Amino acid sequence: MGGLTDRELEVIERLAAGRTNREIADELVLSVRTVDRHVARIFEKLGVNSRAAAASQFERARTELGNAVG
């Protein structure tokens, strides 16, 4: 997912797994506010406005990468 930072990739992976911002913050040892900002930047970079749309793009990109590698 070009354009996302390593931290944003960590966040979107957890977001796609259905975790809340609080759960993501706890797992990554971040404040909820920091996770909120990461999620907002992810939405902006992907051109989406929902967690479901971001998760869908992430899963599609992961599948395409897996197909390219395998």
Side-chain angles (χ1 to χ4, degrees):
M1 302 214 57
L4 295 184
T5 66
D6 289 343
R7 181 61 89 182
E8 289 166 346
L9 288 170
E10 290 177 321
V11 170
I12 196 170
E13 181 175 21
R14 286 160 175 81
L15 181 151
R19 291 184 179 77
T20 65
N21 285 7
R22 164 58 67 196
E23 292 168 332
I24 295 168
D26 289 346
E27 288 180 26
L28 298 178
V29 192
L30 300 170
S31 74
V32 174
R33 181 71 178 129
T34 298
V35 174
D36 290 343
R37 282 188 230 121
H38 283 310
V39 170
R41 278 192 225 109
I42 290 166
F43 284 11
E44 184 178 320
K45 288 179 178 182
L46 298 182
V48 299
N49 59 11
S50 73
R51 295 172 82 85
S56 176
Q57 282 197 27
F58 175 74
E59 293 300 339
R60 185 169 42 254
R62 186 176 5 200
T63 300
E64 290 172 4
L65 179 62
N67 290 339
V69 171

